[in-house]
Amino acid sequence: AQSVTQLDSHVSVSEGTPVLLRCNYSSSYSPSLFWYVQHPNKGLQLLLKYTSAATLVKGINGFEAEFKKSETSFHLTKPSAHMSDAAEYFCVVSEPNTGTASKLTFGTGTRLQVTL
Amino acid sequence: DTAVSQTPKYLVTQMGNDKSIKCEQNLGHDTMYWYKQDSKKFLKIMFSYNNKELIINETVPNRFSPKSPDKAHLNLHINSLELGDSAVYFCASSHPGTSGRQRQFFGPGTRLTVL
């Protein structure tokens, strides 16, 4: 069975300061990991994904995440927060492909607040 | 152009009614999904179809019945709506690919409110 734990339900940073959103996973297999972002009253947008290639993954809008197998972590970072980054962020783990579908398991989400 | 679209965006209805939510994708994907996001923002998969065949069916009340007329459409029909069905429902699609690590593309969501 796979699971994801997002360690913070709410993170608040000042504009221009670094962002760290923490995620730990559990999987019986070599996992695929994703970060999705959801802006208020919007759908889900993929920020980045890890699929067993490079452990440091770069995504859109300046975000990146590092896969650390020894720590079972996949934390999301950004050097400098922008007001437009305020949103809900979901860490997601996927079971290996069965050939037809991937079953995503979502974390409970971290709400990022960016203040002036 | 919209990749994954859902209609309606908002749905307000009374308990006991039957309602449907439609989903269409124009990405040429083979697999489509329905997710439910509850009031605490928790997202959980409900169903997945591949080429009109049901392949994932989580523990969902049988009042929920997905229907896939073709691989570009996956509709969700809900009978005898209950207060606890109030949530945001997201449709998604993916293509198997060769790597097996496919991403899913999500629709904008349908906010269902049961009164």
PDB file of all heavy atoms in Angstrom, chain B residues 4 9 12 14 17 26 28 35-37 48 50 52 63 67-68 72 78 82 89 97 99 104 106 114:
ATOM      1  N   VAL B   4      -9.357  18.964 -20.522  1.00  0.00           N
ATOM      2  CA  VAL B   4     -10.348  18.170 -19.816  1.00  0.00           C
ATOM      3  C   VAL B   4     -11.437  19.127 -19.339  1.00  0.00           C
ATOM      4  O   VAL B   4     -11.142  20.057 -18.593  1.00  0.00           O
ATOM      5  CB  VAL B   4      -9.744  17.424 -18.618  1.00  0.00           C
ATOM      6  CG1 VAL B   4     -10.814  16.566 -17.945  1.00  0.00           C
ATOM      7  CG2 VAL B   4      -8.563  16.579 -19.057  1.00  0.00           C
ATOM      8  N   LYS B   9     -20.244  23.361 -13.861  1.00  0.00           N
ATOM      9  CA  LYS B   9     -19.209  23.780 -12.923  1.00  0.00           C
ATOM     10  C   LYS B   9     -19.763  23.810 -11.495  1.00  0.00           C
ATOM     11  O   LYS B   9     -19.054  23.510 -10.542  1.00  0.00           O
ATOM     12  CB  LYS B   9     -18.682  25.157 -13.303  1.00  0.00           C
ATOM     13  CG  LYS B   9     -17.476  25.573 -12.478  1.00  0.00           C
ATOM     14  CD  LYS B   9     -16.823  26.815 -13.048  1.00  0.00           C
ATOM     15  CE  LYS B   9     -15.574  27.147 -12.233  1.00  0.00           C
ATOM     16  NZ  LYS B   9     -14.867  28.326 -12.754  1.00  0.00           N
ATOM     17  N   VAL B  12     -26.362  22.606  -7.668  1.00  0.00           N
ATOM     18  CA  VAL B  12     -27.048  22.679  -6.383  1.00  0.00           C
ATOM     19  C   VAL B  12     -28.357  21.926  -6.530  1.00  0.00           C
ATOM     20  O   VAL B  12     -29.125  22.181  -7.461  1.00  0.00           O
ATOM     21  CB  VAL B  12     -27.326  24.140  -5.974  1.00  0.00           C
ATOM     22  CG1 VAL B  12     -28.013  24.170  -4.603  1.00  0.00           C
ATOM     23  CG2 VAL B  12     -26.019  24.931  -5.926  1.00  0.00           C
ATOM     24  N   GLN B  14     -31.469  19.138  -4.364  1.00  0.00           N
ATOM     25  CA  GLN B  14     -32.075  18.677  -3.125  1.00  0.00           C
ATOM     26  C   GLN B  14     -31.719  17.223  -2.856  1.00  0.00           C
ATOM     27  O   GLN B  14     -31.443  16.437  -3.786  1.00  0.00           O
ATOM     28  CB  GLN B  14     -33.599  18.796  -3.223  1.00  0.00           C
ATOM     29  CG  GLN B  14     -34.109  20.212  -3.454  1.00  0.00           C
ATOM     30  CD  GLN B  14     -33.988  21.072  -2.224  1.00  0.00           C
ATOM     31  OE1 GLN B  14     -34.015  20.575  -1.098  1.00  0.00           O
ATOM     32  NE2 GLN B  14     -33.837  22.378  -2.426  1.00  0.00           N
ATOM     33  N   ASN B  17     -32.553  13.662  -4.995  1.00  0.00           N
ATOM     34  CA  ASN B  17     -32.564  13.808  -6.457  1.00  0.00           C
ATOM     35  C   ASN B  17     -31.475  12.958  -7.099  1.00  0.00           C
ATOM     36  O   ASN B  17     -30.547  12.483  -6.444  1.00  0.00           O
ATOM     37  CB  ASN B  17     -32.348  15.275  -6.842  1.00  0.00           C
ATOM     38  CG  ASN B  17     -33.597  16.109  -6.617  1.00  0.00           C
ATOM     39  OD1 ASN B  17     -34.666  15.579  -6.340  1.00  0.00           O
ATOM     40  ND2 ASN B  17     -33.465  17.420  -6.716  1.00  0.00           N
ATOM     41  N   ASN B  26     -10.068  16.017 -24.719  1.00  0.00           N
ATOM     42  CA  ASN B  26      -9.693  16.061 -26.137  1.00  0.00           C
ATOM     43  C   ASN B  26      -8.201  15.817 -26.315  1.00  0.00           C
ATOM     44  O   ASN B  26      -7.592  16.287 -27.283  1.00  0.00           O
ATOM     45  CB  ASN B  26     -10.125  17.393 -26.754  1.00  0.00           C
ATOM     46  CG  ASN B  26      -9.438  18.587 -26.108  1.00  0.00           C
ATOM     47  OD1 ASN B  26      -8.561  18.428 -25.251  1.00  0.00           O
ATOM     48  ND2 ASN B  26      -9.816  19.783 -26.503  1.00  0.00           N
ATOM     49  N   GLY B  28      -6.877  12.738 -26.450  1.00  0.00           N
ATOM     50  CA  GLY B  28      -6.642  11.431 -27.050  1.00  0.00           C
ATOM     51  C   GLY B  28      -6.214  10.384 -26.051  1.00  0.00           C
ATOM     52  O   GLY B  28      -5.652   9.342 -26.424  1.00  0.00           O
ATOM     53  N   TYR B  35     -12.471  11.762  -9.264  1.00  0.00           N
ATOM     54  CA  TYR B  35     -12.004  11.972  -7.906  1.00  0.00           C
ATOM     55  C   TYR B  35     -13.029  12.793  -7.143  1.00  0.00           C
ATOM     56  O   TYR B  35     -13.735  13.625  -7.716  1.00  0.00           O
ATOM     57  CB  TYR B  35     -10.677  12.751  -7.888  1.00  0.00           C
ATOM     58  CG  TYR B  35      -9.484  11.988  -8.375  1.00  0.00           C
ATOM     59  CD1 TYR B  35      -9.176  11.904  -9.730  1.00  0.00           C
ATOM     60  CD2 TYR B  35      -8.630  11.356  -7.476  1.00  0.00           C
ATOM     61  CE1 TYR B  35      -8.070  11.213 -10.171  1.00  0.00           C
ATOM     62  CE2 TYR B  35      -7.511  10.655  -7.915  1.00  0.00           C
ATOM     63  CZ  TYR B  35      -7.245  10.597  -9.263  1.00  0.00           C
ATOM     64  OH  TYR B  35      -6.145   9.909  -9.706  1.00  0.00           O
ATOM     65  N   LYS B  36     -13.050  12.592  -5.833  1.00  0.00           N
ATOM     66  CA  LYS B  36     -13.900  13.400  -4.956  1.00  0.00           C
ATOM     67  C   LYS B  36     -13.006  14.178  -3.993  1.00  0.00           C
ATOM     68  O   LYS B  36     -12.121  13.590  -3.372  1.00  0.00           O
ATOM     69  CB  LYS B  36     -14.858  12.504  -4.166  1.00  0.00           C
ATOM     70  CG  LYS B  36     -15.771  13.271  -3.209  1.00  0.00           C
ATOM     71  CD  LYS B  36     -16.691  12.308  -2.448  1.00  0.00           C
ATOM     72  CE  LYS B  36     -17.599  13.056  -1.482  1.00  0.00           C
ATOM     73  NZ  LYS B  36     -18.501  12.133  -0.732  1.00  0.00           N
ATOM     74  N   GLN B  37     -13.236  15.488  -3.902  1.00  0.00           N
ATOM     75  CA  GLN B  37     -12.513  16.321  -2.937  1.00  0.00           C
ATOM     76  C   GLN B  37     -13.499  16.803  -1.887  1.00  0.00           C
ATOM     77  O   GLN B  37     -14.434  17.537  -2.191  1.00  0.00           O
ATOM     78  CB  GLN B  37     -11.834  17.516  -3.619  1.00  0.00           C
ATOM     79  CG  GLN B  37     -10.980  18.344  -2.667  1.00  0.00           C
ATOM     80  CD  GLN B  37     -10.236  19.464  -3.364  1.00  0.00           C
ATOM     81  OE1 GLN B  37     -10.787  20.165  -4.220  1.00  0.00           O
ATOM     82  NE2 GLN B  37      -8.969  19.636  -3.018  1.00  0.00           N
ATOM     83  N   SER B  48     -11.910   4.559 -12.324  1.00  0.00           N
ATOM     84  CA  SER B  48     -11.103   4.775 -13.518  1.00  0.00           C
ATOM     85  C   SER B  48     -11.601   3.861 -14.628  1.00  0.00           C
ATOM     86  O   SER B  48     -11.948   2.706 -14.383  1.00  0.00           O
ATOM     87  CB  SER B  48      -9.628   4.492 -13.239  1.00  0.00           C
ATOM     88  OG  SER B  48      -8.887   4.647 -14.434  1.00  0.00           O
ATOM     89  N   ASN B  50     -10.690   2.603 -18.704  1.00  0.00           N
ATOM     90  CA  ASN B  50      -9.766   2.558 -19.825  1.00  0.00           C
ATOM     91  C   ASN B  50     -10.511   2.025 -21.034  1.00  0.00           C
ATOM     92  O   ASN B  50     -11.007   0.908 -21.001  1.00  0.00           O
ATOM     93  CB  ASN B  50      -8.552   1.685 -19.508  1.00  0.00           C
ATOM     94  CG  ASN B  50      -7.621   1.568 -20.695  1.00  0.00           C
ATOM     95  OD1 ASN B  50      -7.666   0.590 -21.444  1.00  0.00           O
ATOM     96  ND2 ASN B  50      -6.772   2.549 -20.889  1.00  0.00           N
ATOM     97  N   LYS B  52     -13.391   2.560 -22.166  1.00  0.00           N
ATOM     98  CA  LYS B  52     -14.770   2.243 -21.773  1.00  0.00           C
ATOM     99  C   LYS B  52     -14.882   1.073 -20.797  1.00  0.00           C
ATOM    100  O   LYS B  52     -15.984   0.652 -20.466  1.00  0.00           O
ATOM    101  CB  LYS B  52     -15.655   1.989 -22.994  1.00  0.00           C
ATOM    102  CG  LYS B  52     -15.689   3.129 -24.003  1.00  0.00           C
ATOM    103  CD  LYS B  52     -16.777   2.956 -25.033  1.00  0.00           C
ATOM    104  CE  LYS B  52     -16.516   1.776 -25.924  1.00  0.00           C
ATOM    105  NZ  LYS B  52     -17.632   1.562 -26.895  1.00  0.00           N
ATOM    106  N   ARG B  63     -24.776   4.056  -5.352  1.00  0.00           N
ATOM    107  CA  ARG B  63     -25.578   5.164  -5.898  1.00  0.00           C
ATOM    108  C   ARG B  63     -24.788   5.938  -6.962  1.00  0.00           C
ATOM    109  O   ARG B  63     -25.368   6.669  -7.758  1.00  0.00           O
ATOM    110  CB  ARG B  63     -25.977   6.137  -4.781  1.00  0.00           C
ATOM    111  CG  ARG B  63     -26.834   5.528  -3.680  1.00  0.00           C
ATOM    112  CD  ARG B  63     -27.215   6.562  -2.649  1.00  0.00           C
ATOM    113  NE  ARG B  63     -26.055   7.044  -1.898  1.00  0.00           N
ATOM    114  CZ  ARG B  63     -25.475   8.231  -2.098  1.00  0.00           C
ATOM    115  NH1 ARG B  63     -25.940   9.068  -3.024  1.00  0.00           N
ATOM    116  NH2 ARG B  63     -24.431   8.599  -1.379  1.00  0.00           N
ATOM    117  N   LYS B  67     -20.316   6.203 -16.300  1.00  0.00           N
ATOM    118  CA  LYS B  67     -20.702   5.692 -17.620  1.00  0.00           C
ATOM    119  C   LYS B  67     -19.759   6.276 -18.653  1.00  0.00           C
ATOM    120  O   LYS B  67     -19.559   7.487 -18.708  1.00  0.00           O
ATOM    121  CB  LYS B  67     -22.149   6.074 -17.942  1.00  0.00           C
ATOM    122  CG  LYS B  67     -23.180   5.320 -17.121  1.00  0.00           C
ATOM    123  CD  LYS B  67     -24.595   5.699 -17.493  1.00  0.00           C
ATOM    124  CE  LYS B  67     -25.614   4.788 -16.842  1.00  0.00           C
ATOM    125  NZ  LYS B  67     -25.482   4.658 -15.398  1.00  0.00           N
ATOM    126  N   SER B  68     -19.213   5.414 -19.486  1.00  0.00           N
ATOM    127  CA  SER B  68     -18.255   5.852 -20.491  1.00  0.00           C
ATOM    128  C   SER B  68     -18.761   5.463 -21.874  1.00  0.00           C
ATOM    129  O   SER B  68     -18.550   4.329 -22.318  1.00  0.00           O
ATOM    130  CB  SER B  68     -16.883   5.212 -20.226  1.00  0.00           C
ATOM    131  OG  SER B  68     -15.927   5.657 -21.161  1.00  0.00           O
ATOM    132  N   ALA B  72     -13.363   9.158 -24.872  1.00  0.00           N
ATOM    133  CA  ALA B  72     -13.184  10.587 -24.622  1.00  0.00           C
ATOM    134  C   ALA B  72     -14.148  11.135 -23.578  1.00  0.00           C
ATOM    135  O   ALA B  72     -14.047  12.300 -23.193  1.00  0.00           O
ATOM    136  CB  ALA B  72     -13.346  11.370 -25.925  1.00  0.00           C
ATOM    137  N   ILE B  78     -25.283  10.125 -10.226  1.00  0.00           N
ATOM    138  CA  ILE B  78     -25.469   9.901  -8.792  1.00  0.00           C
ATOM    139  C   ILE B  78     -26.970   9.829  -8.500  1.00  0.00           C
ATOM    140  O   ILE B  78     -27.714  10.768  -8.800  1.00  0.00           O
ATOM    141  CB  ILE B  78     -24.849  11.028  -7.944  1.00  0.00           C
ATOM    142  CG1 ILE B  78     -23.446  11.381  -8.438  1.00  0.00           C
ATOM    143  CG2 ILE B  78     -24.792  10.601  -6.479  1.00  0.00           C
ATOM    144  CD1 ILE B  78     -22.856  12.629  -7.817  1.00  0.00           C
ATOM    145  N   GLU B  82     -27.339  12.470  -1.255  1.00  0.00           N
ATOM    146  CA  GLU B  82     -27.320  12.666   0.195  1.00  0.00           C
ATOM    147  C   GLU B  82     -26.462  13.885   0.528  1.00  0.00           C
ATOM    148  O   GLU B  82     -25.620  14.310  -0.278  1.00  0.00           O
ATOM    149  CB  GLU B  82     -26.742  11.417   0.876  1.00  0.00           C
ATOM    150  CG  GLU B  82     -27.539  10.159   0.607  1.00  0.00           C
ATOM    151  CD  GLU B  82     -26.903   8.935   1.260  1.00  0.00           C
ATOM    152  OE1 GLU B  82     -25.813   9.066   1.856  1.00  0.00           O
ATOM    153  OE2 GLU B  82     -27.509   7.849   1.153  1.00  0.00           O
ATOM    154  N   TYR B  89     -16.043  17.443  -7.389  1.00  0.00           N
ATOM    155  CA  TYR B  89     -15.713  16.239  -8.146  1.00  0.00           C
ATOM    156  C   TYR B  89     -14.822  16.626  -9.320  1.00  0.00           C
ATOM    157  O   TYR B  89     -15.159  17.506 -10.109  1.00  0.00           O
ATOM    158  CB  TYR B  89     -16.996  15.551  -8.630  1.00  0.00           C
ATOM    159  CG  TYR B  89     -17.795  14.981  -7.483  1.00  0.00           C
ATOM    160  CD1 TYR B  89     -18.691  15.785  -6.766  1.00  0.00           C
ATOM    161  CD2 TYR B  89     -17.624  13.662  -7.072  1.00  0.00           C
ATOM    162  CE1 TYR B  89     -19.402  15.278  -5.685  1.00  0.00           C
ATOM    163  CE2 TYR B  89     -18.339  13.149  -6.001  1.00  0.00           C
ATOM    164  CZ  TYR B  89     -19.220  13.969  -5.313  1.00  0.00           C
ATOM    165  OH  TYR B  89     -19.911  13.465  -4.238  1.00  0.00           O
ATOM    166  N   GLY B  97       1.245   5.277 -21.920  1.00  0.00           N
ATOM    167  CA  GLY B  97       2.636   5.522 -22.252  1.00  0.00           C
ATOM    168  C   GLY B  97       3.492   4.290 -22.035  1.00  0.00           C
ATOM    169  O   GLY B  97       3.023   3.249 -21.579  1.00  0.00           O
ATOM    170  N   SER B  99       6.501   4.435 -20.245  1.00  0.00           N
ATOM    171  CA  SER B  99       7.263   4.505 -19.001  1.00  0.00           C
ATOM    172  C   SER B  99       6.431   4.069 -17.804  1.00  0.00           C
ATOM    173  O   SER B  99       6.965   3.702 -16.780  1.00  0.00           O
ATOM    174  CB  SER B  99       7.774   5.916 -18.762  1.00  0.00           C
ATOM    175  OG  SER B  99       6.678   6.789 -18.488  1.00  0.00           O
ATOM    176  N   GLN B 104      -1.532  12.725 -14.721  1.00  0.00           N
ATOM    177  CA  GLN B 104      -2.951  12.867 -14.999  1.00  0.00           C
ATOM    178  C   GLN B 104      -3.274  14.340 -15.205  1.00  0.00           C
ATOM    179  O   GLN B 104      -2.742  15.198 -14.502  1.00  0.00           O
ATOM    180  CB  GLN B 104      -3.781  12.276 -13.867  1.00  0.00           C
ATOM    181  CG  GLN B 104      -3.617  10.767 -13.757  1.00  0.00           C
ATOM    182  CD  GLN B 104      -4.462  10.149 -12.679  1.00  0.00           C
ATOM    183  OE1 GLN B 104      -5.433  10.748 -12.192  1.00  0.00           O
ATOM    184  NE2 GLN B 104      -4.130   8.918 -12.286  1.00  0.00           N
ATOM    185  N   PHE B 106      -6.149  17.142 -15.080  1.00  0.00           N
ATOM    186  CA  PHE B 106      -7.393  17.314 -14.342  1.00  0.00           C
ATOM    187  C   PHE B 106      -8.296  18.367 -14.979  1.00  0.00           C
ATOM    188  O   PHE B 106      -7.824  19.371 -15.531  1.00  0.00           O
ATOM    189  CB  PHE B 106      -7.097  17.728 -12.897  1.00  0.00           C
ATOM    190  CG  PHE B 106      -6.615  16.595 -12.052  1.00  0.00           C
ATOM    191  CD1 PHE B 106      -5.291  16.189 -12.094  1.00  0.00           C
ATOM    192  CD2 PHE B 106      -7.495  15.915 -11.214  1.00  0.00           C
ATOM    193  CE1 PHE B 106      -4.847  15.126 -11.322  1.00  0.00           C
ATOM    194  CE2 PHE B 106      -7.061  14.856 -10.435  1.00  0.00           C
ATOM    195  CZ  PHE B 106      -5.732  14.456 -10.489  1.00  0.00           C
ATOM    196  N   VAL B 114     -25.530  19.602  -1.963  1.00  0.00           N
ATOM    197  CA  VAL B 114     -26.809  18.926  -1.730  1.00  0.00           C
ATOM    198  C   VAL B 114     -27.476  19.565  -0.514  1.00  0.00           C
ATOM    199  O   VAL B 114     -26.869  19.623   0.572  1.00  0.00           O
ATOM    200  CB  VAL B 114     -26.595  17.419  -1.502  1.00  0.00           C
ATOM    201  CG1 VAL B 114     -27.943  16.726  -1.311  1.00  0.00           C
ATOM    202  CG2 VAL B 114     -25.844  16.804  -2.671  1.00  0.00           C
TER     203      VAL B 114
END
